[in-house]
């Protein structure tokens, strides 16, 4: 089958997904086999919202705290010479992040070290999504990196023996009426994973978080008040007050962990948030609008929302895994080896959800089958373009007004329920009319579902019940 394309010479060319139904660009649902192609206009192919970025947050009508979720481009303010340069920067960050996750989640290298959150050893810094949180009483507004694979919440603190540059003034515990050091013998201190806590000379609980590239944060653990937008302040949250911090976190003051462990934000809030949160990731680019992060369980999920069980890696329980069982292209399920995506008893393999990885990674055999089937469905109707770094399946769509793109479906569970991804979650624009398939091969058996495939889809993670939900509409 060939892509359908309408040629014109007058107009210039121009990152969660585990639902047991089909979600399309228009929020419509249908049989997976009937959704063989999507049509896109390459001259106006963008995931950016029409609104300007905003860091404002507000309480929802249901009382749950809601935060604006900003892509790094809206926070860093960095500009690139071209779209291609921006994507190359993203791919470079991705490579470091994925290398660390693969090392962290390999059965031969798993450790009890805290810190799977952010990899920051490259010049552009790390962290893909950010929120603005008030820390202390009165609240000091700080940008924090959001990470679904992390348990520890921390900020840089005065006095700072070693700190990287951040956008906001350093948090000063002396100016907060609610700051209280956690004693090293307390239950809260013992909740930190083994090897990550200790006692300072003052008797305070000392914490340290290390990252795969040599970045780290060290300091004391404290109980503090956090304010989320205009919502009621949340008291008694354990956070790290970092006095020695090394890394480049794109101006963020620290990190907001949303992982499955007890020290993450949702783990600590417990009954207040129901152990749950929902999010919609904003698109890439400095001109993208804000997404959203909402804390707590939504008791009024729209009709048509579907829930899929989460899987837990006993060796690394902070991460959220899902049971991917197959892939499809152009309405046809691919013939893949059974168990290719299974999470093994020793913690290897599996499919982990990660907001910090952009491009979805698949085992080499699965990726090769997906890539070849996609290219076959495209056919020879459109010119190929040279690959760009790890993105090896690219097309030159310059001058085309309408292009027919084969769908990609993800199958989950024993029943093979399918999610068909919108075209905007399949392709990444390189500039100059070139588009590349936003999937790549993994160097190990680990699969990672990245944020390009998650963008624009309402996702609810309920760690208390062990399910992830996907709304019937895009966001």
């Amino acid at each position: 089958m060939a892509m359908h394309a309408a040629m014109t010479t007058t107009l210039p060319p121009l990152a969660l997904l585990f639902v047991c139904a089909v979600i399309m660009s228009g929020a419509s649902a249908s049989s997976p086999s009937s959704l063989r192609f999507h049509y896109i206009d390459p001259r106006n192919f963008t995931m950016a919202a029409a609104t300007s970025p905003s860091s404002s947050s507000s309480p929802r009508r249901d009382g749950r705290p809601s935060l604006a979720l900003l892509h790094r481009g809206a926070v860093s303010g960095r500009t690139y010479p071209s779209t291609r340069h921006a994507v190359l920067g993203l791919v470079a960050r991705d490579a470091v992040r994925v290398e660390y996750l693969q090392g962290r989640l390999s059965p031969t290298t798993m450790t009890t070290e805290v810190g799977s959150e952010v990899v920051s050893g490259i010049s552009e810094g790390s962290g893909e999504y950010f929120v603005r949180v008030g820390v202390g009483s009165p609240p000091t507004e700080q940008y924090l990196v959001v990470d679904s694979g992390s348990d520890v919440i921390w900020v840089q603190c005065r006095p700072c023996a070693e700190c990287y540059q951040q956008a906001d003034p350093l948090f000063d515990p002396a100016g907060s009426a609610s700051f209280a050091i956690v004693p090293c013998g307390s239950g809260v201190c013992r909740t930190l994973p083994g090897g990550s806590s200790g006692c300072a000379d003052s008797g305070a609980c000392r914490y340290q978080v290390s990252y795969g590239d040599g970045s780290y944060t060290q300091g004391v653990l404290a109980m503090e008040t956090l304010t989320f937008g205009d919502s009621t302040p949340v008291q008694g949250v354990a956070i790290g007050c970092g006095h020695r911090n090394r890394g480049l976190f794109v101006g963020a003051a620290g990190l907001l962990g949303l992982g499955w462990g007890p020290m993450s934000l949702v783990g600590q809030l417990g009954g207040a948030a129901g152990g749950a949160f929902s999010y919609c990731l904003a698109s890439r680019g400095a001109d993208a609008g804000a997404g959203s992060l909402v804390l707590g369980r939504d008791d009024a999920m729209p009709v048509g929302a579907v829930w899929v069980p989460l899987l837990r890696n006993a060796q690394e329980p902070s991460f959220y895994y899902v049971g991917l069982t197959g892939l499809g292209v152009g309405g046809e399920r691919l013939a893949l080896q059974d168990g290719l995506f299974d999470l093994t008893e020793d913690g290897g393999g599996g499919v982990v959800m990660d907001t910090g990885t952009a491009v979805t990674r698949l085992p080499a055999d699965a990726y090769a089958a997906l890539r070849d089937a996609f290219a076959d469905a495209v056919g020879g109707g459109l010119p190929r373009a040279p690959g760009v770094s790890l993105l090896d399946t690219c097309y030159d769509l310059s001058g085309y007004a309408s292009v027919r793109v084969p769908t990609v479906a993800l199958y989950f569970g024993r029943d093979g329920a399918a999610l068909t991804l919108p075209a905007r979650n399949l392709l990444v624009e390189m500039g100059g009319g070139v588009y590349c398939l936003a999937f790549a091969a993994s160097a190990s058996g680990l699969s990672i579902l990245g944020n390009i495939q998650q963008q624009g889809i309402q996702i609810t993670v309920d760690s208390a019940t062990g399910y992830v939900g996907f709304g019937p509409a895009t966001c």
Side-chain angles (χ1 to χ4, degrees), residues 77-361:
R78 174 164 184 175
T79 59
Y80 294 88
S82 67
T83 301
R84 179 177 291 261
H85 283 85
V87 176
L88 288 174
L90 179 147
V91 170
R93 297 191 303 273
D94 235 33
V96 179
R97 170 74 172 184
V98 169
E99 182 180 5
Y100 178 52
L101 286 179
Q102 289 174 334
R104 175 71 188 241
L105 299 176
S106 169
T108 60
T109 59
M110 285 180 181
T111 70
T112 57
E113 174 190 60
V114 179
S116 59
E117 309 87 345
V118 176
V119 179
S120 55
I122 57 178
S123 61
E124 295 186 0
S126 293
E128 295 298 311
Y129 289 92
F130 299 74
V131 290
R132 197 129 174 91
V133 175
V135 181
S137 303
T140 300
E141 293 290 315
Q142 307 270 268
Y143 279 118
L144 301 182
V145 174
V146 172
D147 197 297
S148 60
S150 165
D151 282 353
V152 179
I153 308 165
W154 62 269
V155 297
Q156 296 195 115
C157 282
R158 292 185 182 275
C160 195
E162 180 183 5
C163 279
Y164 58 85
Q165 186 174 1
Q166 64 179 60
D168 299 300
L170 290 174
F171 175 67
D172 188 355
S176 173
S178 51
F179 184 87
I181 294 291
V182 172
C184 65
S186 68
V188 174
C189 188
R190 291 194 298 269
T191 301
L192 287 168
S196 64
S197 64
C199 284
D201 293 339
S202 62
C205 178
R206 187 176 59 197
Y207 83 98
Q208 59 181 10
V209 179
S210 300
Y211 305 97
D213 66 340
S215 299
Y216 58 81
T217 175
Q218 298 175 355
V220 295
L221 197 67
M223 306 303 289
E224 187 52 288
T225 295
L226 300 182
T227 303
F228 305 101
D230 297 328
S231 302
T232 302
V234 179
Q235 301 176 343
V237 180
I239 69 170
C241 183
H243 298 296
R244 289 186 177 274
N245 315 283
R246 178 182 177 183
L248 299 170
F249 294 89
V250 203
L255 187 138
L256 186 71
L258 294 176
W260 207 337
M263 291 298 290
S264 77
L265 179 62
V266 290
Q268 291 194 59
L269 294 182
F277 63 98
S278 62
Y279 63 95
C280 177
L281 298 182
S283 58
R284 301 179 299 279
D287 60 345
S292 63
L293 170 65
V294 183
L295 301 174
R297 181 177 292 105
D298 189 347
D299 294 325
M301 284 290 284
V303 175
V306 181
W307 296 86
V308 175
L310 289 165
L311 304 179
R312 199 164 196 180
N313 185 344
Q315 306 301 320
E316 290 286 350
S318 295
F319 292 89
Y320 300 103
Y321 286 76
V322 290
L324 185 70
T325 56
L327 303 169
V329 174
E332 301 293 333
R333 184 160 180 165
L334 303 181
L336 299 175
Q337 176 185 347
D338 290 342
L340 192 59
F341 304 105
D342 286 356
L343 176 63
T344 61
E345 291 185 0
D346 62 359
V351 183
V352 66
M353 298 162 49
D354 185 45
T355 56
T357 300
V359 176
T360 287
R361 302 306 206 277

